[in-house]
Amino acid sequence: MWVRPEYERLARDFPRLAAQFGIVVDAGLGDDLVALIGVFEAVDRRIDAVGDADARAELAAKIVGALRERATIDGELDAQLATLRRLTAHGERARVAACVERFFACSEILRTTTDPGAFVQAVVDEAAPACELTLLVSARATTTQFARCFARLSEVANLVDKLHDVRGDHRRGEIAIRAGARLHAALLTAFVARTVAMLSLAPKPLALVAWGARYLMPPMLMA
C-alpha cells in the first residue's frame, strides 16, 4: 500500500508527539497509522478518478454503505475497507462509516467550490473525521488533553498540506478554485488562528513547535 513519504514520516513520528503529553506509544501503532493513511490515500484516489460528480457521489455512498453493512464492492476497495475495519475494530461501525461519509462530503466541496471561504472551511472540516479515525486507531495511546490538542493539530496539518498542494491540484484539474492570492491569504489566516489554538492546548508549546516545524517545508525539501 503506497503512502506519500511525508505522511509516512508524520505517522512514524507520532510517538515523539505523544511523548510530549506523557504518553508512551508501542511500536506497532506507527504501522497501524501508516496503514490508515494508506487506506485514505487509496480510497481518495479511487474517488478522484471518477470525473462525474453524480458517479462520485454514488461510489462514495457505496463505500459508506459497505462500512455500515459489511457489504462488498470490488476486490480493490473491499481490501481497503477490510483494513479500515481491522484498524478500528473497537469502534462502532456506524461511527466509522459516519466519519468516512463526512470526509467524502468535505472532499467534494474542495473539488467543486470556487469560493475561498468555503474552500478553507472544508479544509478545516475535512480534518475532523480524519482526526477522529486516527484517535480511534490510537485509542490505547490517547488522553483527553491529547485528543483536544490533536484535533487542532489535524486542522493545522490539513491547512499546511493544502498550502503546499493547492497550485498543483488546480493545475491538474483536481480542484475548481483558482489558487491565487485570495485563497492563499485565507489559508494562511486560518493556519495562524488554528496554530494559536493548538499551542494553547499543548503542555509544551515550544516542544510542539520544534516537532512540527519541519513539516512546514514543502515535501520535496524534506526528502
Side-chain angles (χ1 to χ4, degrees), residues 74-159:
D74 61 44
E76 180 186 2
L77 278 174
D78 291 345
Q80 301 296 341
L81 299 185
T83 298
L84 182 57
R85 292 188 195 99
R86 174 182 63 80
L87 293 171
T88 58
H90 54 284
E92 299 177 4
R93 273 189 293 173
R95 181 181 177 187
V96 173
C99 284
V100 173
E101 187 172 34
R102 284 159 53 208
F103 182 86
F104 285 157
C106 294
S107 296
E108 187 63 19
I109 294 172
L110 292 175
R111 289 184 189 94
T112 58
T113 188
T114 57
D115 177 70
F119 186 90
V120 171
Q121 188 61 55
V123 172
V124 173
D125 291 344
E126 186 186 54
C131 170
E132 187 172 345
L133 287 174
T134 300
L135 292 175
L136 268 178
V137 172
S138 60
R140 60 186 183 273
T142 299
T143 64
T144 300
Q145 181 187 26
F146 178 76
R148 290 177 63 209
C149 187
F150 190 73
R152 300 289 79 77
L153 173 60
S154 298
E155 294 172 349
V156 170
N158 217 30
L159 288 162

Coordinates of all heavy atoms in Angstrom, one line a residue, residues 74-159:
D74 N -15.9 -4.2 -4.7 CA -15.0 -4.9 -5.7 C -13.7 -5.2 -4.9 O -13.5 -4.8 -3.8 CB -14.7 -4.0 -6.9 CG -14.0 -2.7 -6.6 OD1 -13.0 -2.7 -5.8 OD2 -14.3 -1.7 -7.2
G75 N -12.9 -6.0 -5.5 CA -11.7 -6.6 -4.8 C -10.8 -5.5 -4.2 O -10.4 -5.6 -3.0
E76 N -10.5 -4.5 -5.0 CA -9.5 -3.4 -4.5 C -10.1 -2.7 -3.3 O -9.5 -2.5 -2.3 CB -9.2 -2.5 -5.7 CG -8.3 -1.4 -5.2 CD -8.1 -0.3 -6.3 OE1 -8.7 -0.4 -7.4 OE2 -7.3 0.6 -6.1
L77 N -11.3 -2.2 -3.5 CA -12.0 -1.4 -2.4 C -12.3 -2.3 -1.2 O -12.1 -1.8 0.0 CB -13.2 -0.7 -2.9 CG -13.0 0.6 -3.7 CD1 -14.4 1.1 -4.2 CD2 -12.4 1.7 -2.8
D78 N -12.7 -3.5 -1.4 CA -13.0 -4.4 -0.3 C -11.8 -4.6 0.5 O -11.9 -4.7 1.8 CB -13.5 -5.7 -0.9 CG -14.9 -5.6 -1.5 OD1 -15.6 -4.6 -1.3 OD2 -15.3 -6.6 -2.2
A79 N -10.6 -4.7 -0.1 CA -9.4 -4.9 0.7 C -9.1 -3.7 1.5 O -8.7 -3.8 2.7 CB -8.2 -5.2 -0.3
Q80 N -9.3 -2.5 1.0 CA -9.0 -1.3 1.7 C -10.0 -1.1 2.9 O -9.6 -0.8 4.0 CB -9.2 0.0 0.8 CG -8.2 0.0 -0.4 CD -6.8 0.1 0.0 OE1 -6.4 0.4 1.1 NE2 -5.9 -0.3 -0.9
L81 N -11.2 -1.4 2.7 CA -12.2 -1.3 3.7 C -12.0 -2.4 4.8 O -12.3 -2.1 6.0 CB -13.6 -1.4 3.1 CG -14.0 -0.3 2.1 CD1 -15.5 -0.5 1.7 CD2 -13.7 1.1 2.7
A82 N -11.5 -3.6 4.4 CA -11.2 -4.6 5.4 C -10.1 -4.1 6.3 O -10.1 -4.3 7.5 CB -10.8 -5.9 4.7
T83 N -9.1 -3.4 5.8 CA -8.0 -2.9 6.6 C -8.6 -1.8 7.5 O -8.2 -1.8 8.7 CB -7.0 -2.2 5.7 OG1 -6.4 -3.2 4.8 CG2 -5.9 -1.6 6.5
L84 N -9.5 -0.9 7.1 CA -10.1 0.1 7.9 C -10.9 -0.6 9.0 O -10.8 -0.1 10.2 CB -10.9 1.0 7.1 CG -11.6 2.2 7.8 CD1 -10.6 3.0 8.5 CD2 -12.4 3.0 6.9
R85 N -11.6 -1.6 8.7 CA -12.4 -2.3 9.8 C -11.4 -2.9 10.8 O -11.7 -2.9 12.0 CB -13.3 -3.4 9.2 CG -14.4 -2.9 8.3 CD -15.3 -4.0 7.9 NE -16.2 -3.7 6.8 CZ -16.0 -4.0 5.5 NH1 -14.9 -4.7 5.2 NH2 -16.8 -3.6 4.6
R86 N -10.3 -3.5 10.4 CA -9.4 -4.1 11.3 C -8.8 -3.0 12.2 O -8.7 -3.2 13.4 CB -8.3 -4.8 10.5 CG -7.2 -5.4 11.4 CD -6.1 -6.0 10.6 NE -5.4 -5.1 9.7 CZ -4.4 -4.3 10.1 NH1 -4.1 -4.2 11.4 NH2 -3.8 -3.5 9.2
L87 N -8.4 -1.9 11.7 CA -7.8 -0.9 12.4 C -8.7 -0.2 13.5 O -8.3 0.3 14.5 CB -7.2 0.2 11.5 CG -6.1 -0.2 10.6 CD1 -5.8 0.9 9.6 CD2 -4.8 -0.5 11.4
T88 N -10.0 -0.2 13.1 CA -11.0 0.5 14.0 C -11.9 -0.6 14.6 O -13.1 -0.3 14.9 CB -11.8 1.5 13.2 OG1 -12.4 0.9 12.1 CG2 -10.9 2.6 12.7
A89 N -11.4 -1.8 14.9 CA -12.3 -2.9 15.3 C -13.0 -2.5 16.6 O -14.1 -3.0 16.8 CB -11.4 -4.1 15.5
H90 N -12.4 -1.7 17.5 CA -13.1 -1.4 18.7 C -14.0 -0.2 18.6 O -14.7 0.2 19.6 CB -12.0 -1.1 19.8 CG -11.1 0.0 19.4 ND1 -10.0 -0.2 18.5 CD2 -11.0 1.3 19.7 CE1 -9.4 0.9 18.3 NE2 -9.9 1.8 19.1
G91 N -14.1 0.4 17.4 CA -15.1 1.5 17.2 C -16.4 1.0 16.6 O -16.4 -0.1 16.0
E92 N -17.5 1.7 16.8 CA -18.7 1.3 16.3 C -18.7 1.4 14.7 O -18.2 2.4 14.2 CB -19.9 2.1 16.9 CG -20.0 2.0 18.4 CD -21.1 2.9 18.9 OE1 -21.8 3.6 18.1 OE2 -21.3 3.0 20.1
R93 N -19.3 0.5 14.1 CA -19.4 0.5 12.6 C -20.0 1.8 12.1 O -19.6 2.5 11.2 CB -20.1 -0.7 12.0 CG -19.3 -1.9 11.8 CD -20.0 -2.9 11.0 NE -21.1 -3.5 11.8 CZ -22.0 -4.3 11.3 NH1 -22.0 -4.7 10.1 NH2 -23.0 -4.8 12.1
A94 N -21.1 2.2 12.8 CA -21.8 3.4 12.4 C -21.0 4.7 12.5 O -21.0 5.6 11.7 CB -23.1 3.6 13.2
R95 N -20.1 4.7 13.6 CA -19.3 5.8 13.8 C -18.2 5.9 12.7 O -17.9 7.0 12.2 CB -18.6 5.7 15.2 CG -17.7 6.9 15.6 CD -17.1 6.6 16.9 NE -16.1 7.7 17.3 CZ -15.4 7.7 18.3 NH1 -15.4 6.7 19.2 NH2 -14.5 8.7 18.6
V96 N -17.6 4.8 12.4 CA -16.6 4.8 11.4 C -17.2 5.2 10.0 O -16.6 6.0 9.3 CB -15.9 3.4 11.3 CG1 -15.0 3.3 10.1 CG2 -15.2 3.0 12.6
A97 N -18.3 4.6 9.7 CA -19.0 5.0 8.4 C -19.3 6.5 8.4 O -19.2 7.1 7.3 CB -20.2 4.1 8.2
A98 N -19.8 7.0 9.5 CA -20.1 8.4 9.5 C -18.9 9.3 9.3 O -19.0 10.4 8.7 CB -20.8 8.8 10.9
C99 N -17.8 8.9 9.9 CA -16.5 9.7 9.7 C -16.1 9.7 8.2 O -15.8 10.7 7.7 CB -15.4 9.0 10.5 SG -15.4 9.3 12.3
V100 N -16.2 8.5 7.6 CA -15.9 8.4 6.1 C -16.8 9.3 5.3 O -16.5 10.0 4.4 CB -15.8 7.0 5.7 CG1 -15.6 6.9 4.2 CG2 -14.7 6.2 6.4
E101 N -18.1 9.2 5.7 CA -19.1 10.0 4.9 C -18.9 11.5 5.0 O -19.0 12.2 4.0 CB -20.5 9.7 5.5 CG -21.7 10.3 4.7 CD -23.0 9.8 5.2 OE1 -23.1 9.5 6.4 OE2 -23.9 9.6 4.3
R102 N -18.5 12.0 6.2 CA -18.2 13.4 6.4 C -16.9 13.8 5.6 O -16.9 14.9 5.0 CB -18.0 13.7 7.9 CG -19.3 13.8 8.7 CD -19.0 13.5 10.2 NE -18.0 14.4 10.7 CZ -17.2 14.1 11.8 NH1 -17.4 12.9 12.4 NH2 -16.4 15.0 12.2
F103 N -16.0 12.9 5.6 CA -14.7 13.1 4.9 C -15.0 13.3 3.4 O -14.5 14.2 2.7 CB -13.7 12.0 5.1 CG -12.4 12.2 4.4 CD1 -11.4 12.9 5.0 CD2 -12.2 11.7 3.2 CE1 -10.2 13.1 4.4 CE2 -11.0 11.9 2.5 CZ -10.0 12.6 3.2
F104 N -15.9 12.4 2.8 CA -16.2 12.5 1.4 C -17.0 13.8 1.1 O -16.7 14.4 0.1 CB -17.1 11.3 1.0 CG -16.4 10.0 0.9 CD1 -17.1 8.8 1.0 CD2 -15.0 9.9 0.6 CE1 -16.4 7.6 0.9 CE2 -14.4 8.7 0.5 CZ -15.1 7.5 0.6
A105 N -17.9 14.2 2.0 CA -18.6 15.4 1.8 C -17.7 16.6 1.7 O -17.8 17.5 0.8 CB -19.7 15.6 2.9
C106 N -16.7 16.7 2.6 CA -15.8 17.8 2.6 C -14.9 17.8 1.4 O -14.6 18.8 0.8 CB -14.9 17.8 3.9 SG -15.8 18.1 5.4
S107 N -14.5 16.6 1.0 CA -13.6 16.5 -0.2 C -14.3 16.9 -1.4 O -13.7 17.5 -2.3 CB -13.1 15.0 -0.3 OG -12.3 14.6 0.8
E108 N -15.6 16.6 -1.5 CA -16.4 17.1 -2.7 C -16.5 18.6 -2.8 O -16.4 19.2 -3.8 CB -17.7 16.4 -2.7 CG -18.5 16.6 -4.0 CD -17.9 16.0 -5.2 OE1 -17.0 15.1 -5.1 OE2 -18.2 16.5 -6.3
I109 N -16.6 19.2 -1.6 CA -16.6 20.7 -1.6 C -15.3 21.2 -2.1 O -15.2 22.2 -2.9 CB -17.0 21.2 -0.2 CG1 -18.4 20.9 0.2 CG2 -16.8 22.7 -0.1 CD1 -18.7 21.2 1.7
L110 N -14.2 20.6 -1.6 CA -12.9 21.1 -2.0 C -12.7 20.9 -3.6 O -12.0 21.7 -4.2 CB -11.8 20.2 -1.3 CG -11.7 20.5 0.2 CD1 -10.7 19.5 0.8 CD2 -11.3 21.9 0.5
R111 N -13.3 19.9 -4.1 CA -13.2 19.7 -5.6 C -13.9 20.7 -6.4 O -13.5 21.2 -7.4 CB -13.7 18.3 -6.0 CG -12.8 17.1 -5.5 CD -13.4 15.8 -6.1 NE -12.7 14.7 -5.5 CZ -13.1 14.0 -4.4 NH1 -14.2 14.4 -3.8 NH2 -12.4 13.0 -3.9
T112 N -15.1 21.2 -5.9 CA -16.0 21.9 -6.7 C -16.2 23.4 -6.4 O -16.6 24.1 -7.3 CB -17.4 21.2 -6.7 OG1 -17.9 21.2 -5.3 CG2 -17.3 19.8 -7.2
T113 N -15.9 23.8 -5.2 CA -16.2 25.2 -4.8 C -15.2 26.1 -5.5 O -14.0 25.8 -5.7 CB -16.2 25.4 -3.3 OG1 -16.6 26.7 -3.0 CG2 -14.7 25.2 -2.7
T114 N -15.6 27.3 -5.8 CA -14.7 28.4 -6.3 C -14.7 29.6 -5.3 O -14.1 30.6 -5.6 CB -15.2 28.9 -7.6 OG1 -16.6 29.4 -7.5 CG2 -15.2 27.8 -8.7
D115 N -15.2 29.4 -4.1 CA -15.2 30.4 -3.0 C -14.1 30.1 -2.0 O -14.1 29.0 -1.4 CB -16.6 30.4 -2.3 CG -16.6 31.4 -1.2 OD1 -16.6 32.6 -1.5 OD2 -16.6 31.0 0.0
P116 N -13.2 31.1 -1.8 CA -12.1 30.8 -0.9 C -12.5 30.5 0.5 O -11.9 29.6 1.2 CB -11.3 32.1 -0.9 CG -11.6 32.7 -2.3 CD -13.0 32.3 -2.5
G117 N -13.6 31.2 1.0 CA -14.1 30.9 2.4 C -14.6 29.5 2.5 O -14.3 28.8 3.5
A118 N -15.4 29.1 1.5 CA -15.9 27.7 1.6 C -14.8 26.7 1.5 O -14.9 25.6 2.1 CB -16.9 27.6 0.4
F119 N -13.8 27.0 0.7 CA -12.7 26.1 0.5 C -12.0 25.9 1.8 O -11.7 24.7 2.2 CB -11.7 26.6 -0.6 CG -10.6 25.6 -0.9 CD1 -10.8 24.7 -1.9 CD2 -9.4 25.6 -0.3 CE1 -9.8 23.8 -2.3 CE2 -8.4 24.8 -0.6 CZ -8.6 23.8 -1.6
V120 N -11.6 27.0 2.5 CA -10.9 26.9 3.7 C -11.7 26.2 4.8 O -11.2 25.4 5.6 CB -10.5 28.3 4.2 CG1 -9.9 28.3 5.6 CG2 -9.4 28.9 3.2
Q121 N -13.0 26.5 4.9 CA -13.8 25.8 5.8 C -13.9 24.3 5.6 O -13.8 23.5 6.5 CB -15.3 26.4 5.8 CG -16.2 25.9 6.9 CD -15.6 26.3 8.3 OE1 -15.4 27.4 8.6 NE2 -15.4 25.2 9.2
A122 N -13.9 23.9 4.3 CA -13.9 22.5 4.0 C -12.6 21.8 4.4 O -12.6 20.7 4.8 CB -14.2 22.3 2.5
V123 N -11.5 22.6 4.2 CA -10.2 22.1 4.6 C -10.2 21.8 6.1 O -9.7 20.7 6.6 CB -9.0 23.1 4.3 CG1 -7.7 22.6 4.9 CG2 -8.9 23.2 2.8
V124 N -10.7 22.7 6.9 CA -10.7 22.6 8.4 C -11.7 21.4 8.7 O -11.4 20.6 9.6 CB -11.2 23.9 9.0 CG1 -11.4 23.7 10.5 CG2 -10.1 24.9 8.8
D125 N -12.9 21.4 8.1 CA -13.9 20.4 8.4 C -13.4 19.0 8.0 O -13.7 18.0 8.7 CB -15.2 20.7 7.7 CG -15.9 21.9 8.3 OD1 -15.5 22.4 9.4 OD2 -16.8 22.5 7.6
E126 N -12.6 18.9 6.9 CA -12.1 17.6 6.5 C -11.2 17.0 7.5 O -11.1 15.7 7.6 CB -11.4 17.8 5.1 CG -11.0 16.5 4.5 CD -10.2 16.7 3.2 OE1 -9.2 17.4 3.3 OE2 -10.5 16.2 2.1
A127 N -10.5 17.8 8.2 CA -9.6 17.3 9.2 C -10.3 16.5 10.4 O -9.7 15.6 11.0 CB -8.7 18.4 9.8
A128 N -11.5 16.9 10.7 CA -12.2 16.4 11.9 C -12.4 14.9 11.8 O -12.1 14.1 12.7 CB -13.5 17.1 12.1
P129 N -13.0 14.4 10.7 CA -13.2 12.9 10.6 C -11.9 12.1 10.5 O -11.8 11.0 11.1 CB -14.1 12.7 9.4 CG -13.9 14.0 8.5 CD -13.7 15.1 9.5
A130 N -10.9 12.7 9.8 CA -9.6 12.0 9.8 C -9.0 12.0 11.2 O -8.4 10.9 11.6 CB -8.7 12.8 8.8
C131 N -9.1 13.0 11.9 CA -8.7 13.1 13.3 C -9.4 12.0 14.1 O -8.8 11.3 14.9 CB -8.8 14.5 13.9 SG -8.6 14.6 15.7
E132 N -10.7 12.0 14.0 CA -11.5 11.0 14.8 C -11.1 9.6 14.5 O -10.9 8.8 15.5 CB -13.0 11.2 14.5 CG -13.9 10.4 15.5 CD -15.3 10.7 15.3 OE1 -15.7 11.8 14.7 OE2 -16.2 9.9 15.8
L133 N -10.9 9.2 13.3 CA -10.4 7.9 12.9 C -9.0 7.6 13.5 O -8.7 6.5 13.9 CB -10.5 7.7 11.4 CG -11.9 7.5 10.8 CD1 -11.8 7.5 9.3 CD2 -12.6 6.3 11.4
T134 N -8.1 8.6 13.4 CA -6.8 8.4 13.9 C -6.8 8.2 15.4 O -6.1 7.3 15.9 CB -5.9 9.7 13.6 OG1 -5.9 9.9 12.2 CG2 -4.5 9.5 14.2
L135 N -7.7 8.9 16.1 CA -7.8 8.7 17.6 C -8.5 7.4 17.9 O -8.2 6.7 18.9 CB -8.6 9.8 18.2 CG -7.9 11.2 18.2 CD1 -8.8 12.3 18.7 CD2 -6.6 11.2 19.0
L136 N -9.3 6.9 17.0 CA -9.9 5.5 17.2 C -8.8 4.5 17.1 O -8.7 3.5 17.9 CB -11.0 5.2 16.2 CG -12.4 5.6 16.5 CD1 -13.3 5.3 15.3 CD2 -12.9 4.8 17.7
V137 N -7.9 4.6 16.1 CA -6.8 3.7 15.9 C -5.9 3.7 17.1 O -5.3 2.7 17.6 CB -6.1 3.9 14.6 CG1 -4.8 3.1 14.5 CG2 -7.1 3.7 13.4
S138 N -5.6 4.9 17.6 CA -4.6 5.1 18.7 C -5.3 5.2 20.0 O -4.7 5.8 21.0 CB -3.8 6.4 18.4 OG -4.6 7.5 18.3
A139 N -6.5 4.7 20.2 CA -7.2 4.8 21.5 C -6.4 4.4 22.7 O -6.5 4.9 23.8 CB -8.5 4.0 21.4
R140 N -5.5 3.4 22.5 CA -4.7 2.9 23.6 C -3.6 3.9 24.0 O -2.9 3.7 25.0 CB -4.1 1.5 23.2 CG -3.2 1.6 22.0 CD -2.7 0.1 21.7 NE -1.8 0.1 20.6 CZ -2.1 0.0 19.3 NH1 -3.4 0.0 19.0 NH2 -1.2 -0.1 18.4
A141 N -3.5 4.9 23.2 CA -2.4 5.9 23.5 C -3.0 7.3 23.4 O -2.4 8.2 22.8 CB -1.3 5.8 22.5
T142 N -4.2 7.5 24.0 CA -4.8 8.8 23.9 C -5.4 9.2 25.3 O -5.9 8.4 26.0 CB -6.0 8.7 22.9 OG1 -5.5 8.4 21.6 CG2 -6.8 10.0 22.8
T143 N -5.2 10.5 25.6 CA -5.9 11.1 26.7 C -6.8 12.3 26.2 O -6.7 12.7 25.1 CB -4.8 11.7 27.7 OG1 -4.1 12.8 27.0 CG2 -3.8 10.6 28.1
T144 N -7.6 12.8 27.1 CA -8.5 13.9 26.7 C -7.7 15.1 26.3 O -8.0 15.7 25.3 CB -9.4 14.2 27.9 OG1 -10.2 13.1 28.3 CG2 -10.4 15.4 27.5
Q145 N -6.6 15.4 27.0 CA -5.8 16.6 26.7 C -5.2 16.4 25.3 O -5.2 17.3 24.5 CB -4.7 16.8 27.8 CG -3.8 18.0 27.5 CD -2.7 18.1 28.4 OE1 -2.2 17.1 29.0 NE2 -2.2 19.3 28.7
F146 N -4.6 15.2 25.1 CA -4.0 14.9 23.8 C -5.0 15.0 22.7 O -4.8 15.6 21.6 CB -3.4 13.6 23.8 CG -2.7 13.2 22.5 CD1 -1.5 13.8 22.1 CD2 -3.3 12.3 21.6 CE1 -0.9 13.4 20.9 CE2 -2.8 12.0 20.4 CZ -1.6 12.5 20.0
A147 N -6.2 14.5 22.9 CA -7.2 14.4 21.8 C -7.7 15.9 21.4 O -7.8 16.2 20.3 CB -8.5 13.7 22.3
R148 N -7.8 16.7 22.4 CA -8.2 18.1 22.1 C -7.1 18.9 21.3 O -7.4 19.6 20.4 CB -8.4 18.9 23.4 CG -9.7 18.4 24.2 CD -9.8 19.2 25.5 NE -10.0 20.6 25.3 CZ -9.6 21.6 26.1 NH1 -9.0 21.2 27.3 NH2 -9.8 22.8 25.9
C149 N -5.9 18.7 21.7 CA -4.8 19.3 21.0 C -4.6 18.7 19.6 O -4.3 19.4 18.6 CB -3.5 19.2 21.8 SG -2.1 20.1 21.1
F150 N -4.7 17.4 19.5 CA -4.6 16.7 18.3 C -5.6 17.1 17.2 O -5.4 17.2 16.0 CB -4.6 15.2 18.4 CG -4.2 14.4 17.2 CD1 -2.9 14.4 16.8 CD2 -5.1 13.8 16.5 CE1 -2.5 13.6 15.7 CE2 -4.8 13.0 15.3 CZ -3.4 13.0 15.0
A151 N -6.8 17.4 17.7 CA -7.9 17.9 16.8 C -7.4 19.2 16.2 O -7.6 19.4 14.9 CB -9.2 18.1 17.6
R152 N -6.9 20.1 16.9 CA -6.4 21.4 16.3 C -5.2 21.1 15.4 O -5.0 21.7 14.4 CB -6.0 22.4 17.5 CG -7.1 22.8 18.4 CD -8.1 23.7 17.8 NE -9.1 23.0 16.9 CZ -10.1 22.2 17.4 NH1 -10.3 22.1 18.7 NH2 -10.9 21.6 16.6
L153 N -4.3 20.2 15.9 CA -3.1 19.9 15.1 C -3.5 19.3 13.7 O -2.9 19.6 12.7 CB -2.2 18.9 15.8 CG -1.1 18.2 15.0 CD1 -0.1 19.3 14.6 CD2 -0.4 17.2 15.9
S154 N -4.6 18.5 13.7 CA -5.1 17.9 12.4 C -5.5 19.0 11.5 O -5.3 19.0 10.3 CB -6.3 17.0 12.7 OG -5.8 15.9 13.5
E155 N -6.2 20.1 12.0 CA -6.6 21.2 11.2 C -5.4 21.9 10.6 O -5.3 22.3 9.4 CB -7.5 22.1 12.0 CG -8.8 21.6 12.5 CD -9.5 22.4 13.4 OE1 -8.9 23.4 13.9 OE2 -10.7 22.2 13.7
V156 N -4.4 22.2 11.5 CA -3.2 22.8 11.1 C -2.5 22.0 10.0 O -2.1 22.6 8.9 CB -2.2 23.1 12.3 CG1 -0.9 23.5 11.8 CG2 -2.8 24.1 13.2
A157 N -2.4 20.7 10.2 CA -1.7 19.9 9.2 C -2.4 19.9 7.9 O -1.8 19.9 6.8 CB -1.6 18.4 9.7
N158 N -3.8 19.9 7.9 CA -4.5 19.9 6.6 C -4.4 21.2 5.9 O -4.3 21.3 4.7 CB -6.0 19.6 6.9 CG -6.6 18.7 5.8 OD1 -5.9 17.9 5.2 ND2 -7.9 18.9 5.6
L159 N -4.3 22.3 6.7 CA -4.1 23.6 6.1 C -2.7 23.7 5.4 O -2.5 24.2 4.3 CB -4.3 24.7 7.1 CG -5.7 24.9 7.5 CD1 -5.8 25.7 8.9 CD2 -6.5 25.7 6.5

